[in-house]
Amino acid sequence: MALRALWLLRHDPAAGGAVLFSRRFPTVELRAETFNGPTHVPVPSDSAFLKALLFELRLVDDHIFVEHRDTCTRINHSCVYPVSTGSGHLWPVLAFQKSGLIYACLPLVEGPLEPRPPLLTVSGLSQGLALLLGIMDYISPSQKNEAEMTAKIGQLRNLLVQACPLGTPLNTNIRSLSSSFEDIQEVPADKDQPAWRSSSYKGKPQVNVCVTEKVKCMQYDQRDVVDTWQVYGAVNCKCDIEGSAPKVTLTLNLPTNAPPLQDIVIHHCVTSIDPAMLMSFSAEPLDDSVYNGPYKFPFIPPSDSFNLCYYTSQVPVPPILGCYQLVEEGSQIKITVNLKLHESIKNSFEYCEARIPFFNRGPIAQLEYKVTHGQLDLSREKSLLVWVIGQKFPKSLEVSLTGTVSFGTAGKEHPTDYVCTGNTAYVKLYFRIPDFTLTGCYVDQHSVQISVPGKPKITAARELISSNYYLWNSKAPAPMVYKTSLDQFACE
């Protein structure tokens, strides 16, 4: 679990790219040469890496078709990329973008790079991702203040001496580390205080917990294509408790007959756990032997907010079922969108809207429509319809939109897309339901136990948020994940 190099980059479409910070670990690079053998590709210069990564992420030259990058046979399900350099393909480069910054690192692969080993066998990927997220958490609050962000980036090198000595991530909570190099030598006065708990709180004990679930969905409304949906959960905690090593126990609960939590990943502050909790995977079929609770987590909390655990679950239905149809009739396009809220879902939204983009066409010149609920807005660029459904579905739990659209002459300023050509199109749903989770998972605030005197204030919340929730046009070809072939499914 080591890193060969780490970068913090900036991309501005107008000004181009820039390297804000980079760190290489020569001892890890020597190990990489030994492990990788003849398949080893050295780390290029910062300028060469920046240029190659921006190209791979399609942030430059995106109008040029490059077969290894843009072919439809390559479907990237992760943030891991092969970056082309003068010496070959640098892999596995872990990179993601956030608010104009690109966070990237190169984990060590302890073996040959050809053929490429499965990502699950590269142990440095998870630690590298945790470290990058820690750096993002440290940098992002200062992005609006250029001077403050520059000062924080200047402190990164010293902070990484403690967080990632010799390329091995040990403490990914960068914000909790001291920004002074002298403090690195300082030993905590209390030997029981863990490294991730860097400061002591004074005041009334309080614990805030929020269970956040995100649902991803692809619906096609086609007989030969299988709709897919996935639920991802995270339990975020903020524990303000006195003491150098306070002990907290938190239990996640599920309703009777609810699907079990799977693919559970826990924070390193958890002190003990039932091993059976970690042995349920979504890639395996459910059976009676799958662990279904209780999900108890004893831990010594960090000083700052943190995610206690992550999980997935195989829920039987998506929260909103939908159908999108787009057909051309002469010079006009006719659209129909039908949505139905499943009866098991709480009908109380903070927001709920459907966005209907039109790519590779001109501006919307004429629009006639009818909605049974909510209101329809046209974006300023006249290339996007926003159907604001509001905070509740009607009593029937069904809403519909019909309309005809005609377009003007397309210009360079209008959006294009390589996938949505012809009548291939989608509707994307955005919604948030407070005090609700799709799995039914919740935290009983009365079950939270704390090993400190006094009655703590416990706040527990939960929410369901849409994430990449698509309805594809059922009257045209769409990007397919699974397609039926006779009596079996064949992966496209």
Side-chain angles (χ1 to χ4, degrees):
M1 294 189 295
L3 306 180
R4 293 169 58 187
L6 182 147
W7 296 269
L8 176 61
L9 313 172
R10 170 181 280 164
H11 175 254
D12 187 330
V19 180
L20 302 182
F21 176 82
S22 70
R23 178 75 168 88
R24 298 158 189 265
F25 302 97
T27 56
V28 182
E29 190 64 19
L30 289 174
R31 292 165 59 194
E33 293 178 8
T34 302
F35 282 122
N36 303 157
T39 63
H40 176 74
V41 177
V43 179
S45 66
D46 287 346
S47 58
F49 177 80
L50 171 66
K51 182 178 179 181
L53 182 61
L54 292 181
F55 182 80
E56 182 65 30
L57 296 178
R58 295 181 64 190
L59 297 176
V60 295
D61 296 335
D62 62 332
H63 61 285
I64 301 175
F65 177 81
V66 181
E67 185 172 357
H68 85 272
R69 181 191 67 180
D70 302 322
T71 177
C72 62
T73 59
R74 176 185 170 187
I75 302 176
N76 198 16
H77 295 290
S78 68
C79 297
V80 179
Y81 303 89
V83 175
S84 181
T85 70
S87 304
H89 284 89
L90 194 66
W91 184 89
V93 174
L94 176 63
F96 62 87
Q97 305 173 61
K98 183 70 174 180
S99 303
L101 298 183
I102 302 174
Y103 302 81
C105 69
L106 177 62
L108 171 68
V109 178
E110 298 181 352
L113 296 175
E114 295 293 344
R116 287 179 184 166
L119 293 181
L120 288 176
T121 65
V122 184
S123 57
L125 283 173
S126 58
Q127 287 294 312
L129 177 60
L131 182 62
L132 292 180
L133 291 174
I135 294 175
M136 182 187 72
D137 187 50
Y138 170 69
I139 293 291
S140 56
S142 306
Q143 280 192 244
K144 294 183 179 179
N145 187 323
E146 187 70 24
E148 184 180 345
M149 187 177 76
T150 302
K152 283 193 172 184
I153 293 174
Q155 296 171 354
L156 263 182
R157 189 167 300 274
N158 284 345
L159 291 174
L160 287 176
V161 173
Q162 185 176 3
C164 188
L166 300 177
T168 302
L170 296 181
N171 187 348
T172 58
N173 190 348
I174 305 298
R175 281 205 304 173
S176 70
L177 298 176
S178 169
S179 60
S180 171
F181 182 77
E182 289 77 11
D183 289 344
I184 296 176
Q185 308 295 333
E186 188 174 322
V187 178
D190 191 336
K191 63 180 182 179
D192 295 327
Q193 180 171 331
W196 60 82
R197 189 169 176 82
S198 58
S199 61
S200 296
Y201 170 79
K202 298 293 183 182
K204 183 178 179 180
Q206 51 185 341
V207 176
N208 297 300
V209 186
C210 182
V211 180
T212 298
E213 289 186 355
K214 295 185 177 182
V215 54
K216 296 183 177 182
C217 188
M218 291 278 189
Q219 296 185 41
Y220 302 99
D221 193 36
Q222 296 181 13
R223 293 184 61 183
D224 61 338
V225 186
V226 177
D227 295 343
T228 63
W229 56 91
Q230 297 170 306
V231 179
Y232 302 88
V235 181
N236 184 267
C237 300
K238 179 67 168 70
C239 302
D240 295 324
I241 307 172
E242 292 187 359
S244 58
K247 296 179 181 178
V248 180
T249 300
L250 182 147
T251 303
L252 297 181
N253 300 290
L254 291 174
T256 305
N257 298 325
L261 305 185
Q262 298 178 295
D263 304 317
I264 296 177
V265 179
I266 60 173
H267 193 275
H268 56 73
C269 71
V270 176
T271 55
S272 64
I273 196 169
D274 188 334
M277 288 174 53
L278 307 180
M279 299 306 292
S280 178
F281 304 103
S282 57
E284 300 174 352
L286 288 174
D287 55 49
D288 294 338
S289 64
V290 173
Y291 186 89
N292 58 2
Y295 302 93
K296 184 172 291 188
F297 300 88
F299 60 96
I300 300 175
S303 306
D304 297 314
S305 174
F306 70 103
N307 285 328
L308 177 66
C309 70
Y310 301 90
Y311 63 85
T312 67
S313 184
Q314 301 182 44
V315 295
V317 292
I320 298 178
L321 298 169
C323 171
Y324 177 38
Q325 295 182 351
L326 179 151
V327 293
E328 293 195 34
E329 295 184 352
S331 60
Q332 294 182 326
I333 282 180
K334 183 177 181 179
I335 62 172
T336 302
V337 184
N338 295 313
L339 302 176
K340 181 178 181 180
L341 181 69
H342 194 270
E343 58 268 17
S344 65
I345 306 302
K346 180 181 179 182
N347 190 9
S348 178
F349 294 78
E350 180 180 313
Y351 57 85
C352 182
E353 65 182 37
R355 299 185 184 181
I356 311 171
F358 296 95
F359 297 103
N360 308 311
R361 303 178 188 272
I364 295 176
Q366 185 175 359
L367 171 65
E368 297 180 2
Y369 69 91
K370 178 182 179 181
V371 293
T372 61
H373 187 77
Q375 66 182 48
L376 189 67
D377 298 326
L378 177 62
S379 69
R380 181 181 302 176
E381 298 79 12
K382 296 186 177 181
S383 59
L384 174 71
L385 297 179
V386 180
W387 181 13
V388 180
I389 298 168
Q391 296 180 329
K392 277 185 177 294
F393 276 64
K395 289 184 178 180
S396 65
L397 301 182
E398 297 182 14
V399 294
S400 63
L401 159 66
T402 57
T404 56
V405 185
S406 58
F407 300 90
T409 304
K412 292 183 178 179
E413 70 277 10
H414 295 102
T416 60
D417 189 274
Y418 294 106
V419 175
C420 295
T421 58
N423 286 351
T424 298
Y426 63 81
V427 173
K428 189 173 183 181
L429 300 186
Y430 295 82
F431 58 83
R432 177 181 181 270
I433 306 179
D435 196 28
F436 180 82
T437 52
L438 198 54
T439 62
C441 182
Y442 68 97
V443 175
D444 182 359
Q445 59 188 40
H446 300 293
S447 68
V448 179
Q449 302 174 10
I450 302 177
S451 63
V452 294
K455 186 177 181 180
K457 179 183 178 182
I458 310 294
T459 303
R462 55 180 181 163
E463 59 182 356
L464 176 66
I465 303 174
S466 64
S467 174
N468 294 330
Y469 204 106
Y470 291 96
L471 310 177
W472 289 94
N473 179 20
S474 62
K475 297 296 185 179
M480 303 176 191
V481 179
Y482 298 102
K483 186 176 183 180
T484 58
S485 176
L486 299 178
D487 59 344
Q488 63 180 5
F489 293 121
C491 186
E492 283 288 284

